[in-house]
Amino acid sequence: MNKPLPFLIPLALLTACGPSKRPDREVPAIDLRASSFEAVSGEPDIQDVALFLAGRPVKHGAGLSRMQRTESYRSHWTQTSAAWRYTRLRLKRMREWTSNELKPLLRDAGTVHYPFGGPDLLYANAMIPNARTYVLMGLEPVGEVPALESLPSEEVLAALPPFRKATSTQLKVGYFVTQDMRADLNRSALRGVTPILLSTVALAGG
């Protein structure tokens, strides 16, 4: 059996760009009226990659900014935003339940161990938002932070539909279909689960 330990590697980078620990914070909404992305300059960092994947405006990265102003990316933004509406309501209810039932028992959650969770950081954070560290374990390939600006724009934009497909069931109904996720991500520039984790952090308000 494949060892799940390599999946721990992305957690260090998620510590740097993850959501701030505000247990009672509101689940962020995506403004569906914002129909344009402004041009930006500079070099993108890991936060910008996460924002790009999540369908949110980047703060740095001229190449990413140009791609965000295409019709292809507008479709990604629209579909991701629509899916997030389902997720936002579900997370709100989960956090209300956690506040009433778990918060008195978990004043200091420390480390959350989530075996067989794959890249499901979204719901681990919703259930136990005050944890300092999340250890997610799964058999999916880790992948890496994609160097989006070093790739041809058409390749990056072509990777977005399979990326949405791989993550759509989590956003709409709350879980991943592992077989579909592997097939969709292994055929594109967004390989492994690291891009999913980055997108999750950006959607959750990181």
Side-chain angles (χ1 to χ4, degrees):
M1 184 177 69
N2 294 331
K3 295 182 180 180
L5 291 179
F7 192 75
L8 305 183
I9 297 173
L11 297 181
L13 100 159
L14 289 173
T15 300
C17 67
S20 57
K21 295 296 182 291
R22 300 190 302 275
D24 299 319
R25 71 185 185 278
E26 289 294 323
V27 180
I30 294 179
D31 186 358
L32 295 177
R33 297 169 299 175
S35 59
S36 64
F37 292 85
E38 295 182 0
V40 301
S41 59
E43 294 295 324
D45 58 19
I46 190 172
Q47 291 273 11
D48 295 301
V49 172
L51 291 168
F52 181 90
L53 295 174
R56 292 187 169 184
V58 299
K59 299 177 181 178
H60 312 91
L64 297 183
S65 179
R66 282 193 296 272
M67 284 188 276
Q68 288 194 317
R69 300 196 302 280
T70 65
E71 287 300 319
S72 180
Y73 189 85
R74 185 182 297 274
S75 176
H76 175 68
W77 164 74
T78 302
Q79 294 182 57
T80 301
S81 300
W84 179 246
R85 286 184 293 180
Y86 295 96
T87 309
R88 185 169 179 259
L89 177 59
R90 189 180 303 112
L91 293 178
K92 183 176 183 295
R93 291 173 175 172
M94 290 176 68
R95 288 175 178 173
E96 289 172 351
W97 182 87
T98 293
S99 180
N100 293 329
E101 305 295 335
L102 291 184
K103 190 175 180 180
L105 304 175
L106 299 173
R107 291 187 177 89
D108 184 5
T111 299
V112 173
H113 293 271
Y114 192 173
F116 311 112
D120 187 16
L121 176 65
L122 188 63
Y123 292 101
N125 178 252
M127 290 289 291
I128 310 178
N130 61 329
R132 292 191 301 271
T133 304
Y134 296 89
V135 180
L136 310 177
M137 301 180 184
L139 298 178
E140 297 83 6
V142 176
E144 59 187 8
V145 178
L148 298 180
E149 286 216 334
S150 67
L151 297 171
S153 60
E154 59 271 18
E155 183 177 346
V156 174
L157 294 171
L160 294 177
F163 180 77
R164 287 195 305 274
K165 184 180 177 184
T167 58
S168 63
T169 52
Q170 186 205 30
L171 293 180
K172 291 180 179 178
V173 296
Y175 57 84
F176 286 101
V177 179
T178 301
Q179 183 175 356
D180 292 346
M181 182 171 60
R182 286 177 177 173
D184 295 329
L185 295 182
N186 286 340
R187 292 197 302 264
S188 77
L190 302 174
R191 294 183 175 86
V193 296
T194 296
I196 294 177
L197 291 169
L198 292 173
S199 175
T200 296
V201 170
L203 285 170

